[in-house]
Amino acid sequence: MAVADHDQPTRAKLIDLVEVVVQRAYRCKDREYVRVARAVDGEDLRHRLGTAAVSDNPWARLHAGYVRWLLDRPEVPNTRHVWRTWVAEASRRQGGSSGPCR
């Protein structure tokens, strides 16, 4: 799934999948969807992530922010350490709870 050059229907479904993942409460392997997001990065995905990042859903704001941050930094690995560090920094910026960091 996390490869470039999908046909348009497959690409659209993968973008839908990334959007669903960022909308739900964090689950153990959700970080793995960043690879898919990187493979289908583009205007449509960025728009959906932008919408999620300002939604009323705190999970969506957290996940979408992280995915967008990584899309802007393709050299940064998507590791558990990077996720925890990003969540901690996001929490400090927002002055709130750090949420799930596992």
Side-chain angles (χ1 to χ4, degrees):
M1 291 190 309
V3 296
D5 300 325
H6 287 289
D7 61 28
Q8 188 53 38
T10 302
R11 180 180 171 78
K13 290 291 186 186
L14 290 173
I15 291 171
D16 291 345
L17 177 66
V18 172
E19 182 179 31
V20 166
V21 170
V22 300
Q23 296 286 337
R24 68 182 187 196
Y26 178 81
R27 295 183 185 166
C28 179
K29 297 290 183 176
D30 279 354
R31 286 181 310 98
E32 298 304 320
Y33 287 98
V34 170
R35 292 183 325 155
V36 174
R38 283 177 165 167
V40 297
D41 188 14
E43 186 177 321
D44 186 24
L45 177 62
R46 298 259 180 165
H47 175 74
R48 293 186 196 199
L49 291 172
T51 300
V54 296
S55 75
D56 291 335
N57 179 340
W59 295 105
R61 289 193 308 266
L62 185 68
H63 291 178
Y66 178 70
V67 173
R68 285 180 4 171
W69 184 82
L70 281 177
L71 289 177
D72 289 340
R73 294 160 182 81
E75 74 283 358
V76 175
N78 178 30
T79 64
R80 186 172 288 135
H81 174 74
V82 170
W83 163 249
R84 288 178 180 160
T85 302
W86 189 89
V87 169
E89 289 175 6
S91 177
R92 280 193 292 276
R93 285 190 304 270
Q94 296 174 359
S97 166
S98 64
C101 298
R102 288 177 244 139

XYZ file of all heavy atoms in Angstrom:
824
model
N 0.813 -1.196 0.000
C 0.000 0.000 0.000
C 0.855 1.259 0.000
O 0.452 2.258 -0.548
C -0.912 0.031 1.229
C -2.011 -1.000 1.204
S -3.253 -0.791 2.497
C -2.273 -0.662 3.973
N 1.980 1.222 0.660
C 2.805 2.417 0.822
C 3.824 2.556 -0.307
O 5.015 2.684 -0.086
C 3.499 2.392 2.170
N 3.309 2.531 -1.537
C 4.162 2.726 -2.703
C 3.556 3.836 -3.555
O 2.366 4.097 -3.500
C 4.316 1.431 -3.539
C 5.013 0.350 -2.749
C 2.973 0.937 -4.041
N 4.391 4.472 -4.336
C 3.919 5.560 -5.197
C 3.271 4.996 -6.450
O 3.354 3.803 -6.733
C 5.097 6.459 -5.549
N 2.628 5.858 -7.201
C 2.079 5.541 -8.521
C 0.909 4.564 -8.504
O 0.822 3.676 -9.355
C 3.175 5.033 -9.463
C 4.279 6.062 -9.652
O 3.959 7.267 -9.665
O 5.444 5.667 -9.774
N -0.001 4.724 -7.556
C -1.243 3.950 -7.578
C -2.165 4.538 -8.635
O -2.087 5.728 -8.948
C -1.954 4.042 -6.218
C -1.289 3.270 -5.141
N -1.282 1.905 -5.083
C -0.591 3.683 -4.048
C -0.627 1.504 -4.022
N -0.191 2.561 -3.372
N -3.059 3.690 -9.162
C -4.078 4.243 -10.048
C -5.011 5.128 -9.210
O -5.021 5.055 -7.989
C -4.832 3.145 -10.799
C -5.574 2.176 -9.886
O -5.976 2.569 -8.778
O -5.753 1.018 -10.287
N -5.784 5.983 -9.870
C -6.579 6.982 -9.157
C -7.583 6.371 -8.179
O -7.684 6.855 -7.049
C -7.274 7.929 -10.142
C -7.959 9.103 -9.468
C -7.037 9.897 -8.529
O -5.866 10.099 -8.803
N -7.575 10.334 -7.412
N -8.328 5.331 -8.535
C -9.266 4.763 -7.554
C -8.552 4.214 -6.304
O -9.034 4.403 -5.179
C -9.963 3.643 -8.330
C -9.832 4.015 -9.764
C -8.504 4.710 -9.871
N -7.423 3.578 -6.484
C -6.679 3.040 -5.334
C -6.132 4.181 -4.495
O -6.219 4.160 -3.258
C -5.536 2.124 -5.806
O -6.095 1.062 -6.591
C -4.757 1.559 -4.635
N -5.591 5.183 -5.152
C -5.071 6.356 -4.445
C -6.169 7.018 -3.610
O -5.953 7.379 -2.456
C -4.499 7.337 -5.464
C -3.925 8.583 -4.882
C -3.388 9.487 -6.008
N -3.023 10.769 -5.498
C -1.914 11.034 -4.837
N -1.044 10.085 -4.627
N -1.675 12.247 -4.388
N -7.350 7.164 -4.187
C -8.479 7.786 -3.472
C -8.858 6.966 -2.242
O -9.122 7.523 -1.173
C -9.676 7.937 -4.405
N -8.875 5.654 -2.364
C -9.205 4.785 -1.222
C -8.139 4.886 -0.134
O -8.456 4.872 1.059
C -9.356 3.326 -1.665
C -10.577 3.062 -2.489
C -11.814 3.197 -1.632
C -13.039 2.787 -2.420
N -14.273 3.038 -1.694
N -6.884 4.983 -0.527
C -5.812 5.105 0.462
C -5.879 6.453 1.182
O -5.631 6.526 2.393
C -4.452 4.896 -0.199
C -4.173 3.465 -0.663
C -2.875 3.407 -1.457
C -4.141 2.499 0.510
N -6.239 7.497 0.473
C -6.427 8.800 1.118
C -7.584 8.725 2.100
O -7.498 9.234 3.223
C -6.618 9.909 0.061
C -5.306 10.139 -0.684
C -7.119 11.207 0.713
C -5.430 11.048 -1.900
N -8.675 8.055 1.692
C -9.798 7.836 2.614
C -9.328 7.101 3.868
O -9.719 7.447 4.994
C -10.902 7.011 1.957
C -11.647 7.737 0.852
O -11.538 8.984 0.749
O -12.354 7.044 0.079
N -8.503 6.089 3.687
C -7.996 5.290 4.806
C -7.184 6.151 5.776
O -7.383 6.086 6.997
C -7.139 4.140 4.285
C -6.475 3.257 5.329
C -7.512 2.486 6.128
C -5.500 2.301 4.656
N -6.296 6.969 5.248
C -5.495 7.849 6.111
C -6.416 8.801 6.870
O -6.240 9.021 8.071
C -4.437 8.620 5.295
C -3.746 9.672 6.162
C -3.413 7.660 4.700
N -7.416 9.327 6.195
C -8.356 10.234 6.858
C -9.100 9.532 7.996
O -9.252 10.099 9.079
C -9.357 10.784 5.837
C -10.330 11.775 6.445
C -11.293 12.331 5.418
O -11.644 11.623 4.454
O -11.709 13.485 5.600
N -9.524 8.309 7.784
C -10.209 7.543 8.829
C -9.283 7.315 10.020
O -9.679 7.468 11.178
C -10.729 6.194 8.276
C -11.135 5.254 9.393
C -11.882 6.426 7.320
N -8.048 6.963 9.751
C -7.098 6.680 10.827
C -6.853 7.918 11.684
O -6.818 7.821 12.906
C -5.770 6.124 10.260
C -4.695 6.068 11.328
C -5.994 4.736 9.673
N -6.698 9.078 11.066
C -6.419 10.263 11.881
C -7.647 10.721 12.664
O -7.508 11.449 13.641
C -5.828 11.454 11.070
C -4.522 11.068 10.404
C -6.807 12.047 10.102
N -8.828 10.272 12.287
C -10.056 10.673 12.986
C -10.327 9.865 14.247
O -11.093 10.290 15.097
C -11.267 10.530 12.046
C -11.238 11.434 10.851
C -11.541 12.880 11.187
O -12.157 13.194 12.188
N -11.074 13.774 10.343
N -9.727 8.706 14.374
C -10.076 7.825 15.497
C -9.047 7.945 16.620
O -7.958 8.477 16.437
C -10.170 6.378 15.027
C -8.836 5.801 14.626
C -8.971 4.397 14.112
N -7.643 3.822 13.904
C -7.414 2.760 13.205
N -8.414 2.133 12.628
N -6.196 2.301 13.067
N -9.413 7.403 17.759
C -8.490 7.365 18.894
C -7.255 6.558 18.500
O -7.347 5.566 17.770
C -9.171 6.732 20.107
N -6.117 7.001 18.977
C -4.836 6.379 18.636
C -4.842 4.896 18.957
O -5.277 4.483 20.029
C -3.712 7.077 19.405
C -2.351 6.471 19.144
C -1.641 6.798 18.005
C -1.798 5.564 20.034
C -0.395 6.243 17.760
C -0.554 5.009 19.798
C 0.142 5.353 18.660
O 1.364 4.792 18.420
N -4.342 4.110 18.029
C -4.166 2.669 18.232
C -2.705 2.336 17.994
O -1.991 3.060 17.306
C -5.052 1.880 17.283
C -6.521 2.115 17.570
C -7.391 1.288 16.677
N -8.783 1.633 16.909
C -9.753 1.289 16.106
N -9.493 0.602 15.013
N -10.983 1.628 16.371
N -2.300 1.230 18.508
C -0.895 0.823 18.556
C -0.129 1.052 17.259
O 0.959 1.574 17.267
C -0.819 -0.630 18.979
S 0.841 -1.295 19.068
N -0.661 0.651 16.143
C 0.083 0.698 14.879
C -0.306 1.871 13.977
O 0.075 1.908 12.811
C -0.113 -0.609 14.107
C 0.418 -1.834 14.820
C 1.916 -1.811 14.856
C 2.451 -3.078 15.499
N 3.888 -3.132 15.478
N -1.030 2.854 14.491
C -1.465 3.973 13.654
C -0.306 4.737 13.039
O -0.447 5.317 11.964
C -2.356 4.936 14.439
C -3.790 4.446 14.520
O -4.120 3.425 13.884
O -4.577 5.089 15.224
N 0.826 4.756 13.700
C 1.983 5.444 13.127
C 2.343 4.876 11.761
O 2.879 5.585 10.917
C 3.212 5.305 14.040
C 3.192 6.118 15.282
C 4.466 5.929 16.096
N 4.828 4.532 16.332
C 5.727 3.838 15.625
N 6.395 4.396 14.661
N 5.977 2.580 15.907
N 2.047 3.623 11.536
C 2.416 2.972 10.268
C 1.687 3.586 9.068
O 2.154 3.466 7.941
C 2.142 1.474 10.338
C 2.954 0.766 11.414
C 4.452 0.981 11.283
O 4.978 0.982 10.148
O 5.103 1.171 12.327
N 0.579 4.258 9.312
C -0.156 4.860 8.196
C 0.551 6.078 7.620
O 0.185 6.564 6.555
C -1.592 5.195 8.613
C -2.419 3.947 8.735
C -2.635 3.347 9.963
C -2.938 3.343 7.601
C -3.369 2.174 10.065
C -3.672 2.180 7.685
C -3.887 1.593 8.924
O -4.604 0.436 9.019
N 1.566 6.569 8.300
C 2.351 7.674 7.749
C 3.020 7.234 6.447
O 3.130 8.017 5.500
C 3.382 8.186 8.775
C 4.353 9.168 8.135
C 2.671 8.829 9.958
N 3.441 5.983 6.367
C 4.051 5.492 5.117
C 3.059 5.586 3.970
O 3.415 5.958 2.849
C 4.543 4.057 5.280
C 5.706 3.934 6.228
C 6.237 2.541 6.334
N 5.176 1.535 6.236
C 5.355 0.284 5.840
N 6.546 -0.145 5.502
N 4.358 -0.561 5.793
N 1.819 5.240 4.236
C 0.778 5.346 3.213
C 0.562 6.816 2.862
O 0.491 7.173 1.688
C -0.537 4.688 3.686
C -1.655 4.924 2.679
C -0.338 3.197 3.935
N 0.479 7.675 3.877
C 0.286 9.106 3.635
C 1.421 9.663 2.779
O 1.182 10.455 1.860
C 0.191 9.856 4.955
N 2.631 9.265 3.066
C 3.771 9.745 2.267
C 3.669 9.266 0.822
O 4.066 9.976 -0.100
C 5.087 9.298 2.902
C 5.454 10.134 4.127
C 6.706 9.652 4.802
N 7.219 10.673 5.730
C 8.152 10.447 6.633
N 8.700 9.246 6.761
N 8.553 11.420 7.432
N 3.128 8.082 0.614
C 3.007 7.532 -0.747
C 1.922 8.232 -1.563
O 2.024 8.303 -2.785
C 2.733 6.030 -0.687
N 0.891 8.737 -0.889
C -0.226 9.368 -1.604
C -0.315 10.873 -1.327
O -1.337 11.498 -1.583
C -1.579 8.684 -1.272
C -1.568 7.240 -1.740
C -1.912 8.793 0.209
N 0.761 11.452 -0.829
C 0.775 12.874 -0.498
C 0.372 13.710 -1.704
O 0.768 13.432 -2.835
C 2.178 13.277 -0.026
C 2.233 14.690 0.524
O 1.165 15.274 0.793
O 3.350 15.209 0.678
N -0.431 14.697 -1.452
C -0.883 15.594 -2.504
C -1.926 16.552 -1.959
O -2.234 16.561 -0.770
N -2.468 17.350 -2.843
C -3.412 18.397 -2.458
C -4.633 17.848 -1.713
O -5.050 18.414 -0.698
C -3.848 19.167 -3.704
C -4.711 20.363 -3.411
C -5.053 21.131 -4.679
O -4.195 21.263 -5.557
O -6.202 21.601 -4.757
N -5.220 16.768 -2.208
C -6.418 16.210 -1.572
C -6.118 15.745 -0.148
O -6.853 16.077 0.790
C -6.984 15.059 -2.405
C -8.316 14.540 -1.866
O -9.030 15.296 -1.176
O -8.645 13.372 -2.145
N -5.048 14.991 0.026
C -4.699 14.512 1.364
C -4.391 15.685 2.289
O -4.862 15.735 3.426
C -3.506 13.557 1.311
C -3.021 13.060 2.674
C -4.111 12.257 3.386
C -1.752 12.239 2.523
N -3.612 16.640 1.828
C -3.253 17.798 2.660
C -4.499 18.588 3.071
O -4.600 19.061 4.196
C -2.271 18.694 1.924
C -0.958 18.010 1.594
C 0.081 18.391 2.536
N 1.357 17.724 2.206
C 2.478 18.113 2.712
N 2.519 19.122 3.548
N 3.583 17.472 2.422
N -5.460 18.716 2.157
C -6.705 19.414 2.497
C -7.456 18.671 3.601
O -7.916 19.286 4.566
C -7.587 19.561 1.252
C -8.919 20.152 1.554
N -9.104 21.488 1.848
C -10.140 19.573 1.653
C -10.379 21.701 2.109
N -11.028 20.562 1.993
N -7.564 17.376 3.462
C -8.274 16.580 4.477
C -7.562 16.622 5.822
O -8.203 16.712 6.879
C -8.423 15.138 4.016
C -9.346 14.989 2.827
C -9.533 13.542 2.540
N -10.087 13.282 1.238
C -10.659 12.126 0.928
N -10.738 11.159 1.817
N -11.122 11.933 -0.274
N -6.243 16.552 5.791
C -5.487 16.639 7.049
C -5.646 18.021 7.673
O -5.742 18.149 8.898
C -4.012 16.322 6.811
C -3.688 14.870 6.443
C -2.219 14.748 6.054
C -4.045 13.920 7.568
N -5.681 19.051 6.837
C -5.889 20.405 7.345
C -7.241 20.556 8.009
O -7.360 21.184 9.069
N -8.261 19.966 7.422
C -9.596 19.995 8.013
C -9.607 19.249 9.339
O -10.167 19.732 10.334
C -10.625 19.381 7.038
O -10.624 20.154 5.830
C -12.018 19.359 7.631
N -8.986 18.084 9.371
C -8.929 17.298 10.613
C -8.153 18.033 11.693
O -8.500 17.960 12.882
C -8.300 15.931 10.340
N -7.121 18.758 11.299
C -6.259 19.443 12.265
C -6.956 20.596 12.974
O -6.487 21.034 14.025
C -4.991 19.945 11.569
N -8.066 21.062 12.440
C -8.812 22.141 13.091
C -10.206 21.694 13.516
O -11.040 22.522 13.862
C -8.890 23.398 12.187
C -7.508 23.976 11.947
C -9.599 23.101 10.885
N -10.445 20.395 13.516
C -11.759 19.870 13.881
C -11.966 19.923 15.394
O -11.042 20.233 16.151
C -11.912 18.435 13.386
O -11.162 17.552 14.192
N -13.159 19.596 15.819
C -13.474 19.525 17.252
C -12.938 18.238 17.885
O -12.958 18.107 19.104
C -14.988 19.588 17.468
C -15.555 20.947 17.122
O -14.797 21.938 17.172
O -16.755 21.021 16.802
N -12.491 17.318 17.073
C -12.013 16.021 17.550
C -10.543 16.142 17.975
O -9.670 16.338 17.129
C -12.168 14.996 16.419
C -11.675 13.616 16.777
O -10.893 13.428 17.704
N -12.120 12.638 16.010
N -10.250 16.008 19.276
C -8.858 16.155 19.714
C -7.927 15.094 19.134
O -6.750 15.371 18.891
C -8.938 16.060 21.241
C -10.239 15.410 21.535
C -11.150 15.729 20.385
N -8.433 13.885 18.917
C -7.609 12.834 18.310
C -7.225 13.219 16.889
O -6.086 13.052 16.467
C -8.353 11.506 18.296
C -8.614 10.969 19.647
C -9.812 10.957 20.314
C -7.664 10.371 20.541
N -9.650 10.389 21.548
C -8.351 10.018 21.715
C -6.302 10.107 20.451
C -7.727 9.409 22.789
C -5.677 9.495 21.520
C -6.386 9.162 22.672
N -8.215 13.714 16.145
C -7.962 14.108 14.760
C -6.950 15.244 14.705
O -6.050 15.241 13.856
C -9.267 14.518 14.085
N -7.089 16.222 15.598
C -6.132 17.329 15.611
C -4.721 16.823 15.864
O -3.773 17.222 15.182
C -6.518 18.357 16.677
C -7.759 19.154 16.328
C -7.947 20.357 17.233
N -7.909 20.036 18.645
C -8.961 19.769 19.405
N -10.181 19.781 18.869
N -8.819 19.518 20.692
N -4.573 15.914 16.825
C -3.262 15.377 17.177
C -2.666 14.566 16.029
O -1.548 14.816 15.585
C -3.370 14.510 18.434
C -2.069 13.968 18.994
C -1.213 15.097 19.555
C -2.356 12.949 20.082
N -3.423 13.598 15.534
C -2.913 12.723 14.467
C -2.652 13.485 13.176
O -1.619 13.293 12.528
C -3.897 11.593 14.183
C -3.992 10.600 15.290
N -4.844 9.539 15.233
C -3.370 10.501 16.474
C -4.741 8.824 16.339
N -3.853 9.404 17.109
N -3.602 14.323 12.779
C -3.435 15.064 11.526
C -2.229 15.993 11.611
O -1.471 16.119 10.642
C -4.701 15.856 11.206
N -2.048 16.618 12.751
C -0.882 17.478 12.916
C 0.416 16.715 12.772
O 1.364 17.175 12.119
N 0.462 15.534 13.370
C 1.663 14.706 13.286
C 1.933 14.258 11.850
O 3.055 14.372 11.351
C 1.513 13.486 14.199
C 2.673 12.534 14.146
C 3.913 12.882 14.670
C 2.545 11.272 13.584
C 4.988 12.011 14.634
C 3.614 10.384 13.548
C 4.825 10.757 14.075
O 5.888 9.886 14.039
N 0.909 13.781 11.174
C 1.087 13.323 9.788
C 1.521 14.482 8.901
O 2.455 14.343 8.105
C -0.196 12.643 9.259
C -0.073 12.332 7.765
C -0.485 11.364 10.042
N 0.879 15.632 9.034
C 1.288 16.801 8.230
C 2.729 17.194 8.527
O 3.485 17.516 7.611
C 0.364 17.987 8.505
C -0.976 17.831 7.862
C -1.933 18.953 8.093
N -1.418 20.092 8.829
C -2.067 21.228 8.972
N -3.251 21.391 8.421
N -1.561 22.223 9.661
N 3.103 17.171 9.795
C 4.466 17.522 10.187
C 5.464 16.586 9.511
O 6.478 17.023 8.983
C 4.564 17.466 11.710
C 5.874 17.889 12.269
C 6.305 19.178 12.493
C 6.941 17.038 12.692
N 7.566 19.161 13.033
C 7.986 17.860 13.163
C 7.115 15.658 12.728
C 9.180 17.351 13.654
C 8.297 15.149 13.220
C 9.319 15.989 13.674
N 5.158 15.285 9.512
C 6.060 14.327 8.870
C 6.064 14.452 7.347
O 7.098 14.259 6.716
C 5.712 12.898 9.277
C 6.209 12.469 10.652
C 5.727 11.061 10.971
C 7.719 12.536 10.758
N 4.917 14.771 6.763
C 4.887 14.962 5.310
C 5.785 16.118 4.902
O 6.412 16.077 3.833
C 3.451 15.215 4.826
C 2.508 14.022 4.868
C 1.102 14.446 4.441
C 3.004 12.868 4.016
N 5.864 17.130 5.747
C 6.726 18.278 5.467
C 8.199 17.979 5.733
O 9.062 18.780 5.372
C 6.308 19.482 6.310
C 4.987 20.074 5.871
O 4.574 19.822 4.718
O 4.356 20.786 6.676
N 8.470 16.847 6.368
C 9.843 16.463 6.726
C 10.112 15.006 6.328
O 10.220 14.134 7.178
C 10.042 16.629 8.238
C 9.976 18.069 8.685
C 9.676 18.196 10.178
N 9.569 19.604 10.550
C 8.470 20.333 10.366
N 7.391 19.803 9.837
N 8.454 21.616 10.719
N 10.226 14.743 5.040
C 10.391 13.356 4.587
C 11.660 12.691 5.108
O 11.741 11.462 5.142
C 10.410 13.459 3.061
C 10.684 14.884 2.767
C 10.207 15.687 3.941
N 12.625 13.476 5.552
C 13.869 12.910 6.077
C 13.714 12.414 7.514
O 14.558 11.652 8.000
C 14.999 13.951 6.004
C 14.921 15.065 7.030
C 13.885 16.165 6.742
O 13.198 16.121 5.697
O 13.765 17.070 7.589
N 12.643 12.806 8.201
C 12.428 12.392 9.589
C 11.785 11.009 9.595
O 10.746 10.799 8.958
C 11.532 13.404 10.342
C 11.202 12.908 11.747
C 12.203 14.766 10.390
N 12.374 10.070 10.317
C 11.785 8.731 10.375
C 10.516 8.742 11.221
O 10.368 9.557 12.134
C 12.877 7.889 11.039
C 13.628 8.862 11.882
C 13.597 10.165 11.123
N 9.629 7.842 10.916
C 8.385 7.713 11.670
C 8.581 6.631 12.728
O 8.168 5.495 12.560
C 7.245 7.356 10.718
C 5.943 7.174 11.451
O 5.717 7.787 12.476
N 5.093 6.318 10.924
N 9.212 6.989 13.817
C 9.504 6.030 14.878
C 8.666 6.333 16.109
O 8.091 7.417 16.238
C 10.993 6.097 15.273
O 11.254 7.395 15.824
C 11.904 5.825 14.082
N 8.612 5.385 17.005
C 7.907 5.578 18.273
C 8.501 6.778 19.027
O 7.776 7.577 19.605
C 7.996 4.305 19.127
C 7.178 4.387 20.387
C 7.127 3.046 21.107
N 6.276 2.147 20.330
C 6.569 0.884 20.053
N 7.672 0.341 20.486
N 5.750 0.150 19.337
N 9.821 6.903 19.011
C 10.481 8.023 19.687
C 10.055 9.364 19.079
O 9.764 10.324 19.805
C 12.004 7.864 19.625
C 12.746 9.035 20.170
N 12.835 9.295 21.522
C 13.398 10.041 19.544
C 13.525 10.414 21.697
N 13.883 10.878 20.512
N 10.022 9.441 17.747
C 9.608 10.684 17.079
C 8.161 11.007 17.446
O 7.828 12.152 17.751
C 9.807 10.584 15.550
C 9.164 11.761 14.822
C 11.290 10.504 15.210
N 7.291 9.992 17.437
C 5.886 10.199 17.810
C 5.777 10.734 19.238
O 5.121 11.736 19.473
C 5.108 8.894 17.669
C 3.789 8.854 18.376
C 3.469 8.105 19.468
C 2.589 9.565 18.046
N 2.156 8.318 19.828
C 1.594 9.207 18.975
C 2.267 10.486 17.055
C 0.297 9.737 18.945
C 0.972 11.012 17.024
C 0.009 10.636 17.957
N 6.448 10.114 20.175
C 6.378 10.554 21.574
C 6.911 11.970 21.742
O 6.333 12.774 22.463
C 7.171 9.595 22.460
C 6.497 8.261 22.646
C 7.360 7.358 23.487
N 6.724 6.068 23.672
C 7.367 4.981 24.021
N 8.671 5.021 24.234
N 6.721 3.849 24.168
N 8.014 12.265 21.090
C 8.596 13.600 21.172
C 7.651 14.631 20.579
O 7.423 15.699 21.157
C 9.962 13.637 20.455
O 10.822 12.670 21.068
C 10.598 15.010 20.531
N 7.066 14.320 19.429
C 6.144 15.246 18.782
C 4.923 15.492 19.659
O 4.496 16.636 19.832
C 5.725 14.720 17.404
C 4.952 15.749 16.641
C 5.465 16.692 15.813
C 3.543 15.966 16.686
N 4.443 17.487 15.331
C 3.267 17.067 15.851
C 2.498 15.343 17.344
C 1.978 17.543 15.658
C 1.206 15.825 17.164
C 0.950 16.909 16.321
N 4.353 14.433 20.231
C 3.176 14.577 21.091
C 3.511 15.442 22.303
O 2.743 16.323 22.681
C 2.623 13.196 21.520
C 1.574 13.335 22.615
C 2.033 12.471 20.317
N 4.666 15.188 22.921
C 5.068 15.978 24.094
C 5.222 17.454 23.720
O 4.780 18.345 24.456
C 6.361 15.423 24.687
N 5.844 17.736 22.589
C 6.024 19.125 22.154
C 4.691 19.766 21.794
O 4.457 20.938 22.111
C 6.999 19.180 20.985
C 8.418 18.883 21.406
C 9.398 18.816 20.242
O 8.997 19.117 19.093
O 10.559 18.459 20.481
N 3.811 19.017 21.150
C 2.488 19.539 20.800
C 1.712 19.862 22.065
O 1.019 20.881 22.141
C 1.726 18.535 19.937
N 1.844 19.018 23.071
C 1.169 19.247 24.336
C 1.676 20.522 25.007
O 0.901 21.309 25.531
C 1.373 18.046 25.252
O 0.783 18.295 26.504
N 2.980 20.715 24.978
C 3.554 21.930 25.568
C 3.075 23.178 24.823
O 2.774 24.194 25.432
C 5.076 21.866 25.559
C 5.638 21.030 26.697
C 7.127 21.238 26.842
N 7.895 20.700 25.730
C 8.280 19.425 25.626
N 7.962 18.554 26.560
N 8.977 19.027 24.582
N 3.009 23.094 23.497
C 2.549 24.241 22.700
C 1.099 24.579 23.009
O 0.721 25.738 23.033
C 2.695 23.955 21.206
C 4.110 24.027 20.686
C 4.139 23.974 19.162
N 3.472 22.816 18.604
C 4.059 21.641 18.340
N 5.337 21.471 18.598
N 3.379 20.649 17.821
N 0.290 23.536 23.236
C -1.135 23.741 23.469
C -1.470 23.848 24.941
O -2.608 24.170 25.291
C -1.935 22.607 22.825
C -1.790 22.587 21.331
C -2.467 21.389 20.698
O -3.047 20.550 21.379
N -2.388 21.296 19.395
N -0.524 23.515 25.800
C -0.756 23.595 27.244
C -1.751 22.580 27.753
O -2.407 22.802 28.755
N -1.864 21.442 27.053
C -2.845 20.435 27.456
C -2.218 19.104 27.755
O -1.018 18.968 27.884
N -3.061 18.125 27.844
C -2.641 16.749 28.095
C -1.909 16.206 26.885
O -2.233 16.537 25.745
C -3.866 15.888 28.366
O -3.544 14.534 28.294
N -0.927 15.374 27.132
C -0.143 14.825 26.027
C -0.849 13.713 25.283
O -0.426 13.300 24.233
C 1.209 14.330 26.538
O 1.016 13.268 27.440
N -1.944 13.197 25.812
C -2.673 12.140 25.126
C -1.874 10.838 25.135
O -0.933 10.668 25.898
N -2.257 9.895 24.278
C -1.596 8.586 24.268
C -0.240 8.658 23.602
O -0.127 9.120 22.493
C -2.564 7.731 23.453
C -3.224 8.701 22.530
C -3.309 10.001 23.297
N 0.767 8.238 24.294
C 2.124 8.324 23.753
C 2.739 6.962 23.556
O 3.937 6.846 23.378
C 3.013 9.152 24.681
S 2.456 10.834 24.845
N 1.994 5.923 23.647
C 2.564 4.584 23.533
C 2.908 4.206 22.150
O 2.547 4.625 21.181
C 1.606 3.559 24.121
C 1.578 3.687 25.607
C 0.601 2.736 26.198
N -0.377 3.600 26.805
C -1.676 3.431 26.790
N -2.193 2.397 26.216
N -2.494 4.259 27.367
